[in-house]
Amino acid sequence: MTKKKVMAVLLVLAMGACLFAGCGSKKEEAGADAKKTAGTEAKETAVESKAEEPAETAKTDVPIEGLTFKDPVPVPDEITTYGPDGKTAAWYTELELTPEELEQVRSMELTACFELINASEWDNANLIGFQDACEAMGIEIVGQGCCDLDPITQKTNMESFAALNPDIISCQPQDLDVCAPTFDPLWQSGVKLTFMSNVPAGYTPGKEYVGAITDSIIDMGIDSAEMMADAIGGEGEILAITVADVNYVCNTRDQAFLDTIEEKYPDITVVEVGGFSSASEAGQVASALVTKYPNVKGIFVSYSSPCIDVLQTVKALGRTDIKIVTMDLDSTCALDMAQGGNIVGIACDMPYAMGFGRALMAAYGCIGKECPGYVTSPSFKVTRENLLDGYKTSLGIEAPAEVQEALAK
C-alpha cells in the first residue's frame, strides 16, 4: 500500500462511525446492502479492497475504448428540464470521454469522495454508478458519507472530505440559498465539484463547480399524473402528499403532478395537499387526510421513502381500494406493486446513470474539458407490467427475488 493510501485510510478511521456509507465497490455487493446505513467498518473494507486489488483484475487494464453510457436513451423531441440559469439542460448522452481522454484521466491517479443524500436504494444506485465509472477511469474513492438531507451534517462531511485532500467531490447540495460557504473552501483549493440536481445559489458551472446532472423532473410529475388518472378511471377525489420544505427537485416534480391533474383531468379533484418535512411524517399526514376525506380513490406521494410510510398507514386503515402513485423505485414499493397491492404506478428516473454521469463530469473538470453546466437524464413510467425491466433500467441491478417471485404468481 502506498504512503498516500495509508494516510487516507488512517484519516478515514479517525472520522467517526456516522460519516461513511457502508457500500462495497462491486455492484452486486452494493445492491444487496442497499438498506445498510453508513458505517466506518464497511468503508475501511472498501478502501482496503481497492488498494489491494490485483492488477490483472482491475478494469483499468482493459483496452482503451473511451467511456460513455451503456444502452443510451436517445434524446427526446423536447427536453423539459431547465438549469438554474433557465436554459434547456443538455441530454446526458453528451457526456463521454474519447479513448485519449480516458487514458489521460487514468494516468492522473485521481481520488474522489462521494456523499449520499440518504440511506435509500435509489441513492445507493447513484453510488453504484459513480463507483463503476470511477473504477473504469482509475479513480480511487477515498471517502464516502451520508448527509440525510441535513445541511449541517453535509458541512461536517465536506470538512472531513477536505482532510482527505481529494481531487473530486460529488454530492447533492442542501439548503441552496445559504450553502455556498460549505463548498467555497473546496473549489477554492482546487477540488472539482459535481452535483446532483441542486446547485448552490450564485454558483456558475465551469467556475465554482464542473456541472450538475438531474432527472427529467417535470416529465416525472406528468407521468405520475397520467398513471394516477389511468388507475382511478379518470375521475374522483385524490390526495397529494408532498415535500413541504424548499427542495428544487421534489417541489418541481410535485408541482408538475398537480398542474397536469388540473390541466388534463377536469374530473379528478385534488381535495387537499398534505405536506411533510421528514419522510417519517408522511404516514401521519395520510392517516389524517384519509379520515377527513373517506371517498378518496388515490394518493400521490412525492417519492418512495415517505410512500412506504403512507402505504403502511393505508393498509392499517384497511383501505385496499386506494391507488397509490409515487416516484423513485425501491424494493418495498416494488414488492407491493408485484403483489397487486395499493401501489399501481411509479415514475422512475435513472439514478445509476446520474451517478455515472457525475463521475464523467468530474473527469471533464480534471482534464480541462468543457462540460455542459446542467444535464438531464431520462424518466419513464413503471407499472406491474414492466416492473422487472424498469427496475434494471433505473437502479442498475436486478429486482429482488421476492419481487420476481410475486410477479410470477
Side-chain angles (χ1 to χ4, degrees):
M1 184 179 294
T2 64
K3 181 177 179 180
K4 179 180 178 180
K5 292 176 179 175
V6 170
M7 290 302 295
V9 174
L10 291 175
L11 284 167
V12 169
L13 291 170
M15 282 185 177
C18 65
L19 173 60
F20 295 108
C23 302
S25 63
K26 300 298 182 183
K27 186 182 301 184
E28 294 83 5
E29 295 169 353
D33 294 338
K35 290 291 187 180
K36 290 186 178 179
T37 56
T40 304
E41 181 179 352
K43 174 62 193 131
E44 292 164 9
T45 302
V47 173
E48 290 288 353
S49 64
K50 287 180 180 295
E52 297 174 2
E53 184 178 16
E56 63 268 20
T57 63
K59 287 189 178 181
T60 53
D61 290 337
V62 301
I64 303 294
E65 297 180 352
L67 187 64
T68 188
F69 297 88
K70 296 179 180 178
D71 304 319
V73 176
V75 60
D77 293 335
E78 180 185 5
I79 295 176
T80 61
T81 303
Y82 299 87
D85 59 0
K87 296 180 180 179
T88 303
W91 194 243
Y92 80 123
T93 53
E94 290 188 28
L95 298 174
E96 63 176 348
L97 295 177
T98 66
E100 295 76 18
E101 289 167 344
L102 179 54
E103 188 171 18
Q104 181 183 356
V105 173
R106 287 176 173 175
S107 71
M108 297 174 74
E109 299 184 355
L110 301 169
T111 60
C113 293
F114 186 95
E115 183 190 64
L116 296 100
I117 57 173
N118 55 29
S120 67
E121 291 169 273
W122 183 89
D123 205 30
N124 194 67
N126 267 277
L127 174 60
I128 295 170
F130 189 83
Q131 287 174 325
D132 283 357
C134 283
E135 189 174 5
M137 293 186 289
I139 299 173
E140 181 184 10
I141 300 176
V142 296
Q144 295 172 199
C146 181
C147 72
D148 200 23
L149 299 172
D150 178 26
I152 297 175
T153 301
Q154 183 168 75
K155 185 175 188 300
T156 300
N157 288 347
M158 294 304 120
E159 291 170 348
S160 298
F161 285 167
L164 296 171
N165 195 30
D167 300 293
I168 296 160
I169 293 178
S170 191
C171 66
Q172 184 190 69
Q174 306 298 316
D175 205 352
L176 303 185
D177 290 336
V178 297
C179 70
T182 294
F183 299 101
D184 286 345
L186 299 173
W187 70 262
Q188 289 168 357
S189 67
V191 176
K192 302 303 180 184
L193 299 173
T194 63
F195 297 135
M196 180 176 68
S197 303
N198 296 342
V199 175
Y203 269 34
T204 302
K207 183 182 176 183
E208 292 89 358
Y209 71 106
V210 180
I213 187 168
T214 191
D215 41 17
S216 296
I217 50 183
I218 292 178
D219 289 340
M220 292 182 74
I222 295 172
D223 288 347
S224 297
E226 291 176 350
M227 288 188 288
M228 177 64 77
D230 289 344
I232 66 172
E235 61 181 7
E237 297 181 350
I238 64 171
L239 298 168
I241 299 178
T242 65
V243 174
D245 301 324
V246 177
N247 182 304
Y248 170 70
V249 173
C250 291
N251 297 158
T252 303
R253 299 192 313 186
D254 294 345
Q255 192 60 49
F257 170 84
L258 295 171
D259 290 345
T260 303
I261 291 294
E262 181 178 3
E263 294 166 5
K264 292 183 62 176
Y265 303 103
D267 295 327
I268 297 177
T269 302
V270 181
V271 290
E272 190 165 335
V273 178
F276 64 89
S277 294
S278 170
S280 61
E281 299 170 358
Q284 297 175 1
V285 174
S287 179
L289 292 180
V290 170
T291 301
K292 183 177 180 180
Y293 301 101
N295 294 325
V296 293
K297 298 170 65 176
I299 300 176
F300 165 75
V301 188
S302 186
Y303 60 97
S304 58
S305 294
C307 184
I308 294 171
D309 208 40
V310 172
L311 177 64
Q312 294 171 343
T313 297
V314 169
K315 289 184 179 298
L317 293 172
R319 294 299 302 271
T320 57
D321 59 307
I322 293 178
K323 309 300 183 183
I324 298 176
V325 172
T326 190
M327 302 188 191
D328 307 332
L329 268 170
D330 84 337
S331 58
T332 301
C333 292
L335 180 59
D336 182 77
M337 176 181 282
Q339 293 172 335
N342 294 84
I343 298 178
V344 295
I346 304 174
C348 291
D349 50 18
M350 295 168 60
Y352 176 90
M354 286 190 277
F356 197 96
R358 282 194 269 163
L360 276 176
M361 284 180 160
Y364 273 52
C366 290
I367 64 175
K369 181 178 181 178
E370 185 176 356
C371 183
Y374 204 72
V375 175
T376 188
S377 57
S379 65
F380 56 99
K381 300 175 183 177
V382 169
T383 62
R384 194 174 188 275
E385 286 68 32
N386 69 334
L387 178 54
L388 292 183
D389 288 341
Y391 205 99
K392 177 68 173 179
T393 299
S394 179
L395 301 184
I397 57 176
E398 300 293 341
E402 58 184 351
V403 172
Q404 298 184 43
E405 290 167 3
L407 285 169
K409 293 180 180 179

